[in-house]
Structures are given as C-alpha cells and as structure tokens.
Amino acid sequence: MISHKAGEHAAIALTLDGAPVVEQAPPRMLLSDFLRQACGKTEVHVGCEHGVCGACTVRVDGRPVRSCLMFAVQVAGHRVETVASLGTRDDLSMLQRQFHEHHALQCGFCTPGILSSAQAFLEEHTDPTEREVVEMLSGHLCRCTGYRAIIDAVLACARERREGIS
Amino acid sequence: MKPARFDYYLPSTLEEALAKLSELGSEGKVLAGGQSLVPMLNMRIAQPAALIDINGLVELDAVACENGALRVGATVRQSTLERSDAALGQVPLLAQALPLIGHWQTRNRGTLCGSLAHADPSAELPLLLAVLDGSVEVHSSRGARTIAARDLFVSFFTTSLEADELIVAAYVPVAPARRCYAFDEVAQRHGDFALVSVACAAEFDEQGALAYLTLALGGASEVPLVVETADALGRHADRELIAALAERASVACDPPSDHHASAAFRRQLVRTLTGRMLTALLRREEAAAT
Amino acid sequence: MIESPARTRPRRWIGEAVPRKEDPALLTGAGRFIDDLDPFPNTHHAAILRSPHAHARILSIDSTRALVLEGVKAVLTGARVAEISQPFHAGITEPVHFYPIAVEKVRYVGEPVAVVVAKDRYIAEDALELIDVEYERLEPVVEIDRALADDSLPLHENVGSNVVHERSFTYGEVDAAFAAAEEIVEATFRFPKYASTPIETYGVIAQYQRGTDTYAIHANFQGPFVLHTLLASALRVPGNRLRILVPPDIGGSFGIKALLYPYMGLIALASKESGVPVKWIEDRLEHLCASSSLTDRLTNVQAAVLRDGTILALRLDHVDNVGAYVRAPEPACLYRMHGTSTGAYRIPALAIHNRLVTTNKLPTGLNRGYGGQEHYFALERTMAIVAKRLHLDRLDVVRRNLVRADEFPYHAPAGSVLDSGDYHTALDEALRLAGYQELLATRDRARARGRSAGIGLACVVEPSGSSMGYITIALPLEQRKRSLPKSGAAEAVTIALDPSGAITVRLGTAPQGQGHQTVTAQIVAEELGVALESIEVVAEVDTQTSPWTIASGTYSSRFAPIAAVAVQQAARKVAMKLRTIAAQECNVPVDDIDLAEGLAIPRGDRSKAIPIKRLAGLAHWNPLALPSGMEPGVYETAYYSVPILEAPDDQDRVNSSAVYGFVVDICLLDVDRETGKIEIQRYVSVHDTGRMLNPLLAEGQIRGGFAHGLGGALMEEMVYDENGALLSGTFVDYLCPTAAEIPPLVIGHVDTPSPFTPLGAKGIGEGNSMSVPVTIANAVADALGVDDITLPLTPRRVWELTQR
Ligand SMILES: Cc1cc2nc3c(=O)[nH]c(=O)nc-3n(C[C@@H](O)[C@H](O)[C@H](O)COP(=O)(O)OP(=O)(O)OC[C@H]3O[C@@H](n4cnc5c(N)ncnc54)[C@H](O)[C@@H]3O)c2cc1C
Ligand code: FES
Ligand code: FES
C-alpha cells in the first residue's frame, strides 16, 4: 500500500502532455494546483474549485475530468493532458482553428477546459448532434460568449474531421 | 479554498483497504470518484484525518451479470456504465438516469457506489437503486453483508454503513421481459441535482391491467421514498387511478424547503411528475399493444 | 512597377469580420492571467478570514495561535488598517466610512476581518482556523423595506440612518401633466441582486517597496479610471507612488472587477505590514459572498397618460440598495440612467426621487448593464401595464411614444442627448424577424390548447461611453459648485514605430475579452495602410508608463465610442508624420502621398513609393534629414474626449453618455404552470450599434450580453435569509446559465452611425443585459395574466405566480 503522511511531500511521476515528469507535492495538493504551480502548466485554469465551472478540466488517461477534484498524488503513474497537448500558436489544431474562426472565445479563461473536453468528445463522437454537443458543454461555464459560437465551432470541427477522413 | 491536511493511503488490495478502514474508523474517509467528497474537503466542510483512495483496487473496477443483477464494482465510473451497451440493455433505467447526473466530466470520475454511499436524497442513483429494489455488497475486516436499498438509506447523507465498511459493489436487478421504466425530474439547469425526481417500474398484463408497479421519489424526503402501490395492481391505469397515485405520492413525501423550492412546490412537482410519467408509460404501453 | 495614375487606397479593415489577434495565445493556454504571473521574488500568499455574521460588533480578535503556525508571516486586522490608511471616498455627502476590512463592526457575511500572510495558500487557510474572533451580534437589516423603517438599526452609526442619500429632481411641467392626465397608471417593482461572476476571480499581487515608499500592484483590474486616485489617497501616497499594473489577459469582468480596488488596497497594506510581496487569488466562495454585484432596487412608477396611450409624464421613486457600504463609483448605479430616464420615449416631463439605503448585504458596484436592467425593468413593465390598463395594443402604445427618426438628436428632459436612431424602423425589423403575426397566432393556438403562452417586448436605449460627470449629479448643486465641473470621458492611445518600422500600439483600456487588440489593429492597419498582422497591440496597463486619463478602463462599453476614436486619431498623427517625411523625400505635396501596402506612395508615381519602415528608420537614424521642425522618432499619443459630453448644468441635467444605441427585443415563451418551467420559443433582438467595427465581435458581445440577461431573468440571484446569511454562496446554489439553458437568438440590425464621434460606433455589449430580464418578465406577465412579477423567474417563483 502506498501511503503519504500529511506533512510529507510525495514524489509524483506522471506523463504530462506526452513527456515524463517527476514533481513533489503534499497529499492535500489539488491536481489543479500541482499542474499550475509544480509543473508550470498555467494552461490549466481554476474558476471554482468545487467542480462546477469546468475551467480546470484536463484529460486523465484520455478522459476529461475536473483537476480541482483530484489530488496530485492520484495521478502518479497516469497520463495527464492539458490544452498544451493540442496545437501550437503557429500550428493550431483543427479544433482550435474552428474556435478562432467562429469567435468561440472572448476572455479565453474557460477555453482550455472546454477544448480539453471537446477534443475528447470529438474523438468519441464522429457525427455528434447539436444536443450531444450541448450536453458535453453543459459541464463548462462560459460567461462571455453565450455558448452559440462554441457549439458551432465544435460541430464544424466534427464536420471537418469527417470530411478529412472520407 | 484548500483542503485541510490529511494522510493519504492507496491500498492495492481489498484486504489492505479494509484493514486500513478498520484501523482508522471514523478518522478515515473513502475516496472514490471524489466528485462529492473533494468539494467538501476543499470547502473544509469535511476534515478527515486520512483518505483511503480505493481507485487502486482494480478488482473493483468490474461490471458483471450475476444472479439476475448487474454487479457494479465500487470503482466503476458512471460514464463507463453509460458507455456500456450491455449494462444499459440489462438495466434500461440506467440509460435514463445516468445522463441526468452532473456532467460528462463529473461522470468520468464519479462512481455509482460512491453516489449510493453519499446518500444525497436528491441524487439519481439512490433513487434508481430504490425503485429497482437493488442492494449493495458491503465488506469490512469483520466480514461481508448485503444491504437492500430500503435499509441502506437512513437519512439525509446518512447510510446504515459502519465507519469501517466499504461498499464493494452494487447489485442492480436486470429488467424482466415485460417491465417498462421511466425516470423524470425537474432540475433548475441541465445537470443540476433535481428539485424532485420520480422513477417507476411497471408491467401491464395482456388485458392492459397493471401487473407490477413500483414508484419512487427523489428529493422529496430524507431518503429515496418508495410509494405504496400494491392496491393498484390488477387495475387499469386510467386517468382516475393515475390521479390518485399522483396525489398519494404528493402526500406520502415529506419534502424539504430551501431557497430553490418550498416544500409545497416540491409536493406539487411530485404530483405533476408522477401523473405525467404514469400517463406517458400508459400511452407507450397502448402504442405498443396496437 | 506598375504606373497607376489614380490614388492607391488602403485596404478597408474597419467593419470587417476579422477573427481575433488575441486568440492564438488564449487557444493554446498561453494567455497571461493574473495568477500566471510571478513578478516578485519571495512572494507570500494571503487568505482572508471573513465574517460569518451579517451584522455584529467585533469584541476581540486573537491571532496568537495563527502567528505561531509554521509558515505564517503576519496577520493584519481592521484596527491596524484604520491606523495606516484612510477610508475610501465615495460621491455622497453622508460620512459612510468604508475600509477594505471590517473596523470595529462587520456589516455583511463575508466581510474581511483578518488577512493572513503565509508561505502558501494552504498554510494561510490553516491559519484562518486558528484566529479567534469574538462577536456581539446585532440586528441584521436585510431588505430594503426594513432599511427604510425609522427604527431599523443603522449600519453606520455616525450617519444615524440606513437612508444614506436622498435627492429629488423635476424636469418639465410634471404637476401640470399629471393634472391633464386622463389616467394615472401606478405600479411598484422589485429588482433582485445578482452579479456577472466572471470565471476568473479577483487576483492581486502587491509589493510595498520600502526604499521608495511606493506600492506596485498587479491586479486583474479593469481600471485605472477614477479608482486609482481613490486608492492612492486611501493608501496615503501621491498617485505617482501607486503603480497599478494590469496583466495582459483578464478572465472576464463585466464590471465586477472594477470593485477589486478595496482588495488591492488591503493586499498592498498586507505587503507593507508583512514586509514581503503578497499574492491573493480570490476563491469562488469569496467571490460570491464578497466581491460585488449590482443593486437590488425598489421602484415606484406613476405615469400620467392619455387614453390613446400618450405618456405625458413620469414620476419615478427609486430606492437602491447598495449593501453594507457605499463604494465608489456608487451611487452611480442610481445615476447612470438618470439622463436617459425616459428611455426610448418622447416623454416631456419627469420627476425623480432617489434614495440609497444600506443593508447587511454584499456592497455593490458596476455590473454589465449597470443601472439599466433595474431601470428598464420598471419602465418597460410600466409600458406593458399602461397598454393593458388602457386596453390598447402594446405596439400602438410603444409606437406612439417612441422618439421619431426626425427628432434626433433628441434632447431628453433629464439631459441625455440621444445622438441618432430610427427606433420605429428597428421595431418593425424586430417584428419582421419575429414573424409577429405568426407569433400571435402561435400564442393563441397554444392558449386554446390550455397552455400558458406569452409574448414580451422591450425597447431600451443603450448608453455607452460614460462621462465621469454624471456621478456628480448625486451631489446638490451648491456642493457640486465647490469643486471642478466634471465631464471626463477621455481615452488615450500611443502608437510607436521602432527603427525597423515595427508598429506597437499601447492602450489604456484593460480589456477582458472584448477584442480591443483586434479592433485597434484593424483601425491602425486601415489608417496606415499596413498589414494587420504587423501590428502589436499592448493592452496591459501600467499607470506609470501607459497613457491614461481619469476615465481610462473598460466599462460602460466605452471602447467603441471613445477609445477606438483615440486609436484612429493617434494613427492619423502617425500617418501625417510618415506622409510628411515621404512628401519631402519625393518632393511632392503631402496631400499627394497615400499610405497603402506598407508603402508611402506618391500619387501617380508608384515607382517612387517608399516603404514605411524606411521612413520610420529615417526618423530614428537620421533626424537631421527630417523636414525642418519635425521631432525625431515616431511616437504619437492621442487623447480623445467626446465634445458632446458636458458637466451637469445648474438644472441638474446631464448627458451621461457619449452615444446611445438601441435594442428592441421580442420573445414568445411557454410556461408550464405545473412545473414552473419556462420554455423560450422565439427570441429576436434588433440592435442599433452605430457603425459596426467588427461584426464577428459585435455578435459575440450581443450573445454574451444576452446570456447575462437570461441568467438575470431566469436563475441568478444572491439570496439572503432573514438573518442576512447568504444562501447562494457556491456555484451549486448561485446558478449561471449553461449551454443547455440558452435558447436560439435571432439578431437583427438597424444601425445609425453616431454623428457625434468620428467613427460613429456605439457600444453593444450591455443592451441585452438590460433588455432581456424585462422582456421575459413581460412575456410571463402576458402568459399568466399577472402583473406582479419578480425576478428571477425560477420554477418556484413561476409556480407561485400561478397560485395567485
Ligand atoms: C458539478 C457536479 C454536479 C453534480 N451533479 C449531480 C447530480 O445531478 N446528481 C447526482 O446524483 N450527483 C451529482 N454530483 C455528484 C456525483 O457526481 C458524485 O459522483 C456522487 O455523488 C459521488 O460519487 P463519487 O464516486 O464521486 O464519490 P466520492 O465523492 O468519492 O465519495 C462520496 C462519499 O461516499 C463515500 N464513499 C465513496 N465510495 C464509497 C464506497 N465504495 N464505500 C463506502 N463509502 C464510499 C465517501 O467516503 C464520501 O463520503 C455532481 C457533482 C458535481 C461535481
Ligand atoms: S475549477 Fe474545477 S470545476 Fe471549476
Ligand atoms: S470566454 Fe470568457 S468565460 Fe468563456
């Protein structure tokens, strides 16, 4: 059994955005804080720390989850992906480009979390209905956009992916 | 909003987990999906001295069909069930209830057993277990026992589990051939806990009379409430009977009042949802018959 | 080179739907938000102990146990803050003292009581549990009615009453109009307290620099605006020793982050006391109980009307609840719409009675729509009630009273000068888009089937580009006369070309997602004839190095009407300089030089074109070759203020905003009487945005404002119980709309460019925040046949309405 005393720091080895990482954290450190503070992944945003807003969403072993509702010690040996695993400034991913073209972000604070969910969603749903997109998105609060452009961007990306495949 | 300090244990076998639980007693808390527990830790509403993370118990990450029931292990995620055509086929009510629980992202961590252990009277899964008359398999270093849904939920956020006990699996009965189901709720937003939820399982005989009926209410009492319906059996589910059952449900419950809904409004919702749900079931049945 | 006799026109960028420059960084998670910054070494972290009581006297605070916890550096309490700082000033005469932390008394749940500075946030929060505070609880004053009662316990004893401000105004012949009225329609309205809750919370990183007695404060603040001055005097330093730095990215604000300044002061003082730089990132629970919100308001309206629906006069009685303190810029909420109190209507006479009360609730401040949603809720409900009482068609009443197209610029009785508009056409366009006849038929069919369907309508004038002067209307004339007249609304912009010709634009607007960098680049690209991508726009404000004015910042939708013009004027100064140099080089008159494609092109002789970067290089490398009298370098600042904005006059009239947009909303909805659920079936919103600078961004602003309006209409409320405890203190209880709650929105435009500004653009982001709550209220009133509507229309409220 692995055990970590409250006051001690545990060494946590994980695969973060494709690269092996080892960093220290006490047991109570939230995954969101760990990613931002210990691993320098300020791509992960924090908006509520009680699981509602979705800003902190990252993929753990491929599934989008709230990083504010996990502890850093829980990802030891696991694969974590933030939005940094998508495209780069000069080579945006298809999804990021659709967000750009649809003006699906304003302040951009909710965006990394939404992209993390949407990316995983599109990998599972090749031809989603609008209803399905809305349900996926309902796990994220965005106060700027009114959501319409986000829904359109995700649907457009699904279409583009299908066309790319066929 | 940061949790207070705690010791952290990650057992790799059930025995280790149970031993730790019995050693720590009420000082220790089981961490499953964390979707209810971690918010409470972050707000410091809960400050356990230790967490026992059961996510390392791979043996509990299994769904199987045993003795007419779906056995769902303690670390099976809600979204894993949602993705399992086999599970949804065997327990069609899961397909109706699961999408109503929080969001895809929370269901990717949250477990069915965790929701049962948490015993929120507004939660969907305790209601599901109650209406299907399921049970949980509970282990401790003292032994194992099975607790039926009606004995599991004691009060708001309180179960009959002892501090050293772990829910190892939930048993959700597989649907008999002719049984039909419905699940409905009123929530303020998509994914919110319901103000009131209603679930039912029913069966009609060849003549269209009720051969089986269980009706249960969520968010309307301190535990999921199964409404007495025995006298409806053998009768045709006409408007009058439906109205009477809806009325009975609204009287039988004892809903809380808060700023989202008064007790009177919750009663009203129980009446409406029950009536509408039974009517819709009946229509479906009639449509199937013709 | 191709010979071209004609003028080479620069490519048009203004008005194009250009995707944003801001996006690539934000899409890759590479934005730089406040919590991403780490400007000072050895930064410690603050956590704040907050009052569990709504109203109590602080008998003692004992921090001994907290101070001995390992990692704790300091604990700061109100007594010390009162010794080393001054209360914040606000624009009313009554002495309501406001410090950023409770001094002697707590006045709302969540009010700061002590600040712990520790090595990290986890330890700081551990220490909060070790501070012992003894309170003596006092009678809480929660609702407006109680605050108005003579025997309610005053929150501020030195004021002696919970009514902390009162003023009356009369414009035109009000009494005569009421005497001439054929009917007097009277109604009372309550508007709830809610807030825009940006997803990024407040954040401050402050360092007190002992050597220079200077404060450097990084904060996701949307100012500097008047609040820099207030903060400096509270901290007892001259303005030039308070350096506010706003990070490159801000995660939304919607007005809320203007009220960050008390925390900026508090954390700055915590840095001074602890001797280390201090970072404080507000958490969501803190945000919901102790950041800011709009006011809740009680309004009584009397309308003097003729039987044909003509409105002769209005009497408005407002009681605005500012919560526990009057925090600047309050009482602005009560005065933002003052000059525009008659809305979109030609109502010649108006009387206003304004009161401000304090209660044991979170204090208030800016919020998207600021003052508009409260105001239009009363005004547009009244319009609907007038039609109903007089048995007239609602549209007839509206049409009869709307300002006519030929009346612009229209001088409203309380002072606003409505610059341009065509309200009747906009209304017709909304009816067309809504398919109004079909809408009526759908409603009637639904009703025939026993359903409760209703149609709502609202017309709102959307002011943008506030003048600082309107706030001074709160002061009586004699008092106003004692200080400088105020009308400030200016914005400043600097454009620099470095020796390589690279263009940098510096804004003072501190945007929070509105796309200012993109629009700025569009304007500069068009004026200078250069590629959009080549322009860098720096929007991070530094009060020591950025150009700014008392009005700088992002609020009251002031970018489009004001800041964008400053951008254009700065760009024109640069263009003139470049053209003047080129004219000399080519030996042609300045007027014959065009800027396009990155070149200065002499008309008719493209072969002599000079790249702009060469001209910039010349201005840097060889100043002696410049036309005589010209300064070296290319660095131009423009300040723009709208001439139409004047200080309030002696009759208390004020033109409170630079320009005025217009919004007409129509909605059809269905109410489930048994579950209280509302289903919006059609929603149309037609806008007058003046000249549109970027349609993509304009649509984004409209949809965002719509979602905020919808939240206010249907679910958002800060709910307090009778003891003043906050019941909506988490995101599980304070409900914001998700994607599943937003109905389809049809947007239309009838745009009339403002004649009063060179660009003619108007703000666009606040109109629907103002219009949607009352539109939905009107539709529900129509559906249920009741008039006494209170927001938000949650299932519980709707069901209760059906039980009347
Ligand atoms: C934004 C959001 C929205 C939500 N909306 C809903 C909703 O609409 N409906 C709903 O029902 N739920 C909702 N939830 C909660 C739901 O997601 C949780 O999954 C569920 O309540 C708890 O499951 P868990 O596995 O996460 O348990 P945990 O949070 O890990 O544990 C919950 C409690 O159960 C105990 N426990 C867990 N597993 C066991 C076990 N095997 N044996 C003994 N004790 C155990 C823990 O010690 C703890 O006390 C929501 C959560 C979030 C964050
Ligand atoms: S920060 Fe994790 S869900 Fe809001
Ligand atoms: S873009 Fe600002 S919260 Fe979504």
Side-chain angles (χ1 to χ4, degrees):
Chain A
M1 173 160 49
I2 293 171
S3 70
H4 300 297
K5 285 280 158 207
E8 291 167 6
H9 277 60
I12 299 159
L14 69 155
T15 307
L16 180 54
D17 290 327
V21 167
V22 185
E23 290 292 346
Q24 305 266 322
R28 65 163 159 172
M29 188 175 225
L30 297 174
L31 176 57
S32 45
D33 285 340
F34 174 74
L35 292 172
R36 291 180 53 81
Q37 292 161 18
C39 308
K41 291 279 178 189
T42 52
E43 288 87 347
V44 179
H45 293 166
V46 171
C48 73
E49 292 179 310
H50 53 285
V52 184
C53 76
C56 67
T57 302
V58 298
R59 281 186 288 166
V60 174
D61 299 330
R63 290 188 180 189
V65 299
R66 309 297 204 214
S67 62
C68 71
L69 298 188
M70 285 184 72
F71 297 105
V73 286
Q74 293 189 281
V75 298
H78 292 267
R79 183 163 54 89
V80 176
E81 287 151 295
T82 71
V83 75
S85 68
L86 299 182
T88 59
R89 180 186 169 82
D90 299 318
D91 185 19
L92 293 179
S93 73
M94 198 186 281
L95 182 64
Q96 287 166 319
R97 190 165 38 71
Q98 290 291 1
F99 267 59
H100 177 55
E101 284 168 15
H102 283 86
H103 188 34
L105 65 156
Q106 291 183 23
C107 77
F109 198 77
C110 67
T111 311
I114 292 182
L115 289 170
S116 293
S117 279
Q119 183 67 29
F121 173 81
L122 289 170
E123 284 163 16
E124 280 185 29
H125 300 78
T126 49
D127 191 6
T129 62
E130 175 160 335
R131 189 70 239 162
E132 289 170 326
V133 174
V134 165
E135 276 182 14
M136 174 276 290
L137 260 186
S138 75
H140 294 272
L141 294 179
C142 171
R143 285 301 243 170
C144 297
T145 62
Y147 304 105
R148 182 69 250 168
I150 303 178
I151 298 166
D152 291 342
V154 175
L155 286 170
C157 185
R159 219 173 301 124
E160 191 180 343
R161 286 169 70 104
R162 284 198 308 280
E163 282 158 10
I165 291 162
S166 66
Chain B
M1 238 181 116
K2 310 292 179 192
R5 287 152 55 117
F6 54 78
D7 298 332
Y8 173 82
Y9 300 99
L10 181 71
S12 51
T13 65
L14 184 57
E15 285 62 44
E16 278 179 1
L18 297 178
K20 210 38 162 186
L21 265 175
S22 87
E23 174 195 327
L24 292 168
S26 54
E27 300 276 275
K29 266 258 164 221
V30 172
L31 173 63
Q35 303 301 289
S36 294
L37 180 57
V38 182
M40 295 197 302
L41 296 174
N42 290 359
M43 295 182 198
R44 300 198 180 205
I45 297 168
Q47 300 200 9
L51 290 188
I52 301 154
D53 184 349
I54 59 171
N55 289 288
L57 305 180
V58 276
E59 54 194 296
L60 301 187
D61 189 14
V63 184
C65 204
E66 281 176 20
N67 306 326
L70 203 62
R71 183 184 193 273
V72 181
T75 59
V76 173
R77 312 288 172 200
Q78 292 153 7
S79 68
T80 304
L81 290 172
E82 212 176 343
R83 264 179 266 218
S84 159
D85 289 338
L88 301 184
Q90 278 153 338
V91 184
L93 199 53
L94 276 175
Q96 294 186 46
L98 286 168
L100 301 174
I101 305 168
H103 310 282
W104 181 44
Q105 298 82 354
T106 64
R107 297 195 294 274
N108 276 336
R109 286 299 294 175
T111 63
L112 185 151
C113 292
S115 177
L116 301 177
H118 191 56
D120 185 326
S122 305
E124 286 80 3
L125 293 168
L127 176 62
L128 176 130
L129 198 75
V131 77
L132 298 182
D133 199 19
S135 60
V136 289
E137 179 187 330
V138 172
H139 289 227
S140 70
S141 48
R142 296 173 288 121
R145 60 177 177 140
T146 299
I147 308 176
R150 61 186 162 281
D151 302 322
L152 178 63
F153 306 112
V154 173
S155 177
F156 296 104
F157 304 100
T158 310
T159 63
S160 52
L161 289 187
E162 299 294 332
D164 64 346
E165 284 182 316
L166 182 74
I167 299 180
V168 165
Y171 287 89
V172 191
V174 169
R178 293 183 56 92
R179 190 91 25 112
C180 55
Y181 299 92
F183 199 108
D184 197 9
E185 67 179 39
V186 173
Q188 311 223 73
R189 292 175 306 181
H190 181 81
D192 281 343
F193 279 98
L195 296 179
V196 152
S197 49
V198 181
C200 84
E203 222 171 283
F204 296 87
D205 65 19
E206 305 292 321
Q207 284 71 44
L210 274 168
Y212 178 90
L213 181 65
T214 315
L215 177 66
L217 315 173
S221 292
E222 54 187 336
V223 293
L225 186 75
V226 177
V227 181
E228 177 57 52
T229 52
D231 56 330
L233 298 187
R235 292 178 57 185
H236 280 269
D238 53 13
R239 270 179 137 190
E240 198 187 331
L241 178 62
I242 290 176
L245 287 171
E247 184 58 31
R248 182 188 297 170
S250 77
V251 175
C253 62
D254 179 18
S257 259
D258 56 38
H259 79 278
H260 296 298
S262 61
F265 179 43
R266 283 197 163 91
R267 263 186 220 287
Q268 153 70 19
L269 288 175
V270 164
R271 185 182 304 114
T272 301
L273 288 186
T274 307
R276 288 182 184 175
M277 167 175 288
L278 293 174
T279 309
L281 260 190
L282 184 67
R283 294 235 175 85
R284 232 196 289 163
E285 181 62 21
E286 284 168 356
T290 56
Chain C
M1 284 249 167
I2 313 147
E3 289 287 290
S4 123
R7 241 190 121 127
T8 314
R9 291 207 167 272
R11 164 148 191 216
R12 313 303 304 183
W13 283 109
I14 301 173
E16 294 278 303
V18 179
R20 298 192 317 166
K21 284 177 86 66
E22 291 86 340
D23 290 355
L26 296 172
L27 282 165
T28 51
R32 282 168 298 148
F33 295 91
I34 184 73
D35 195 19
D36 304 340
L37 306 185
D38 194 5
F40 309 118
N42 194 29
T43 296
H44 280 54
H45 296 262
I48 300 175
L49 182 71
R50 294 177 181 279
S51 170
H53 303 302
H55 201 179
R57 205 171 298 288
I58 299 173
L59 300 179
S60 67
I61 303 179
D62 182 354
S63 316
T64 335
R65 291 193 303 140
L67 282 166
V68 298
L69 186 71
E70 192 187 329
V72 172
K73 190 91 187 171
V75 177
L76 179 64
T77 60
R80 181 70 184 139
V81 168
E83 280 168 26
I84 58 176
S85 71
Q86 233 129 267
F88 289 105
H89 181 77
I92 59 165
T93 42
E94 296 292 349
V96 175
H97 292 311
F98 169 54
Y99 286 99
I101 188 168
V103 175
E104 293 169 12
K105 261 175 90 171
V106 290
R107 295 184 176 87
Y108 64 98
V109 168
E111 182 168 8
V113 172
V115 183
V116 170
V117 176
K119 245 195 147 46
D120 69 39
R121 176 66 178 243
Y122 289 76
I123 296 173
E125 291 194 18
D126 292 344
L128 296 184
E129 300 187 329
L130 301 175
I131 299 176
D132 301 301
V133 186
E134 260 186 296
Y135 295 97
E136 175 198 329
R137 292 180 68 169
L138 302 170
E139 178 213 322
V141 180
V142 185
E143 297 306 332
I144 289 176
D145 309 71
R146 185 71 197 122
L148 289 174
D150 287 338
D151 65 341
S152 70
L153 184 65
L155 269 71
H156 299 273
E157 283 141 8
N158 54 342
V159 178
S161 163
N162 285 315
V163 178
V164 296
H165 164 77
E166 181 162 13
R167 274 213 77 189
S168 294
F169 305 86
T170 306
Y171 304 97
E173 303 299 322
V174 178
D175 291 339
F178 273 83
E182 290 169 348
E183 297 262 0
I184 292 171
V185 175
E186 178 169 2
T188 298
F189 306 99
R190 285 173 192 276
F191 198 84
K193 182 181 183 77
Y194 61 88
S196 290
T197 66
I199 302 301
E200 179 200 39
T201 55
Y202 288 176
V204 179
I205 311 167
Q207 187 189 38
Y208 174 70
Q209 292 155 348
R210 226 172 327 128
T212 48
D213 187 28
T214 306
Y215 292 96
I217 306 177
H218 292 257
N220 52 3
F221 185 47
Q222 62 174 78
F225 136 63
V226 288
L227 303 170
H228 178 273
T229 312
L230 285 183
L231 184 53
S233 61
L235 291 173
R236 296 183 181 154
V237 288
N240 55 7
R241 281 198 263 136
L242 167 61
R243 181 176 194 178
I244 296 177
L245 301 108
V246 175
D249 294 296
I250 297 181
S253 170
F254 322 107
I256 294 293
K257 283 174 183 160
L259 272 293
L260 175 51
Y261 73 88
Y263 287 108
M264 291 159 66
L266 185 60
I267 301 305
L269 294 173
S271 170
K272 183 174 188 175
E273 285 296 287
S274 62
V276 290
V278 179
K279 181 175 197 171
W280 170 70
I281 302 296
E282 182 193 48
D283 70 35
R284 183 57 59 185
L285 302 190
E286 296 183 279
H287 188 83
L288 287 169
C289 69
S291 62
S292 188
S293 76
L294 52 69
T295 58
D296 48 322
R297 183 180 292 179
L298 178 65
T299 307
N300 180 273
V301 183
Q302 288 179 16
V305 298
L306 297 179
R307 274 195 203 99
D308 67 3
T310 306
I311 298 178
L312 303 175
L314 292 176
R315 287 200 179 112
L316 306 175
D317 186 311
H318 298 130
V319 188
D320 225 17
N321 180 3
V322 288
Y325 298 91
V326 186
R327 303 190 303 192
E330 299 292 21
C333 189
L334 203 42
Y335 289 94
R336 178 167 185 223
M337 301 304 298
H338 188 86
T340 327
S341 292
T342 42
Y345 307 110
R346 40 211 294 279
I347 300 171
L350 170 72
I352 300 174
H353 177 217
N354 278 342
R355 278 171 293 172
L356 210 66
V357 295
T358 48
T359 61
N360 295 114
K361 289 185 179 179
L362 165 65
T364 59
L366 305 185
N367 189 84
R368 194 174 202 164
Y370 195 41
Q373 45 274 65
E374 294 99 324
H375 181 71
Y376 287 115
F377 186 76
L379 184 62
E380 292 299 292
R381 283 290 301 124
T382 300
M383 293 302 287
I385 292 169
V386 164
K388 188 172 157 187
R389 299 269 161 88
L390 300 177
H391 303 289
L392 295 172
D393 184 337
R394 170 95 159 90
L395 290 179
D396 289 344
V397 176
V398 170
R399 286 203 177 100
R400 186 175 297 282
N401 290 289
L402 280 180
V403 175
R404 292 191 308 251
D406 60 8
E407 290 175 311
F408 291 96
Y410 175 81
H411 291 255
S416 284
V417 184
L418 306 185
D419 48 336
S420 64
D422 187 346
Y423 297 171
H424 287 86
T425 304
L427 174 61
D428 289 343
E429 175 66 359
L431 296 172
R432 187 185 70 78
L433 289 172
Y436 191 64
Q437 289 311 317
E438 181 50 31
L439 222 56
L440 289 173
T442 310
R443 177 188 67 180
D444 296 343
R445 275 198 304 274
R447 286 181 177 174
R449 290 199 316 271
R451 305 206 54 108
S452 297
I455 294 177
L457 170 77
C459 297
V460 319
V461 170
E462 176 182 359
S464 55
S466 286
S467 123
M468 293 296 98
Y470 81 76
I471 305 176
T472 61
I473 282 279
L475 301 174
L477 182 61
E478 323 78 76
Q479 207 168 341
R480 251 183 1 243
K481 290 243 145 136
R482 270 185 242 139
S483 50
L484 280 175
K486 296 192 176 61
S487 70
E491 191 55 88
V493 171
T494 298
I495 302 181
L497 269 64
D498 74 7
S500 73
I503 302 169
T504 304
V505 187
R506 182 120 208 196
L507 301 177
T509 58
Q512 311 104 32
Q514 293 88 344
H516 292 179
Q517 283 101 315
T518 303
V519 177
T520 296
Q522 285 176 262
I523 296 169
V524 174
E526 179 161 322
E527 293 294 337
L528 299 187
V530 296
L532 197 65
E533 307 73 52
S534 70
I535 298 163
E536 273 307 304
V537 184
V538 180
E540 44 195 293
V541 174
D542 173 348
T543 55
Q544 267 179 356
T545 59
S546 306
W548 63 283
T549 82
I550 190 77
S552 285
T554 292
Y555 56 91
S556 82
S557 303
R558 56 197 306 287
F559 181 79
I562 298 176
V565 178
V567 171
Q568 187 186 43
Q569 298 198 337
R572 287 194 172 162
K573 282 188 176 177
V574 170
M576 182 48 90
K577 181 159 197 172
L578 296 173
R579 288 167 60 214
T580 306
I581 304 171
Q584 175 185 276
E585 294 290 297
C586 300
N587 215 355
V588 297
V590 175
D591 284 350
D592 285 358
I593 300 286
D594 298 322
L595 300 179
E597 300 157 35
L599 305 169
I601 308 171
R603 198 161 309 160
D605 189 359
R606 231 187 129 87
S607 65
K608 294 223 181 82
I610 308 173
I612 285 175
K613 61 181 191 193
R614 241 202 78 169
L615 298 173
L618 196 145
H620 281 276
W621 287 100
N622 194 12
L624 286 181
L626 291 173
S628 72
M630 184 182 275
E631 289 177 17
V634 187
Y635 188 91
E636 299 293 340
T637 297
Y639 281 80
Y640 176 69
S641 186
V642 191
I644 189 87
L645 289 176
E646 292 170 8
D649 70 11
D650 292 355
Q651 283 76 49
D652 282 326
R653 283 179 304 212
V654 66
N655 182 18
S656 33
S657 297
V659 298
Y660 297 85
F662 181 61
V663 183
V664 196
D665 283 6
I666 297 178
C667 128
L668 169 71
L669 54 76
D670 201 273
V671 178
D672 184 330
R673 301 181 73 98
E674 264 129 49
T675 63
K677 281 268 199 183
I678 290 173
E679 192 187 323
I680 294 170
Q681 268 141 4
R682 191 153 179 85
Y683 203 108
V684 170
S685 186
V686 169
H687 286 248
D688 177 351
T689 76
R691 177 164 175 211
M692 203 168 332
L693 300 175
N694 181 327
L696 196 62
L697 304 197
E699 179 171 343
Q701 285 297 310
I702 291 174
R703 291 195 181 277
F706 176 69
H708 279 269
L710 200 80
L714 297 180
M715 59 191 84
E716 296 187 35
E717 184 177 10
M718 299 193 149
V719 186
Y720 289 82
D721 73 7
E722 64 282 2
N723 297 317
L726 179 64
L727 303 181
S728 47
T730 72
F731 259 170
V732 178
D733 293 298
Y734 186 89
L735 308 178
C736 320
T738 76
E741 279 73 46
I742 309 287
L745 167 68
V746 178
I747 299 171
H749 282 277
V750 173
D751 293 330
T752 63
S754 175
F756 294 153
T757 68
L759 274 170
K762 303 178 180 182
I764 191 166
E766 296 187 88
N768 287 113
S769 300
M770 301 177 182
S771 62
V772 177
V774 65
T775 303
I776 290 181
N778 279 342
V780 171
D782 182 44
L784 299 180
V786 295
D787 281 337
D788 185 13
I789 305 269
T790 311
L791 303 180
L793 288 158
T794 58
R796 172 179 68 93
R797 280 247 168 71
V798 172
W799 179 71
E800 283 166 3
L801 283 174
T802 68
Q803 300 302 298
R804 297 278 167 79

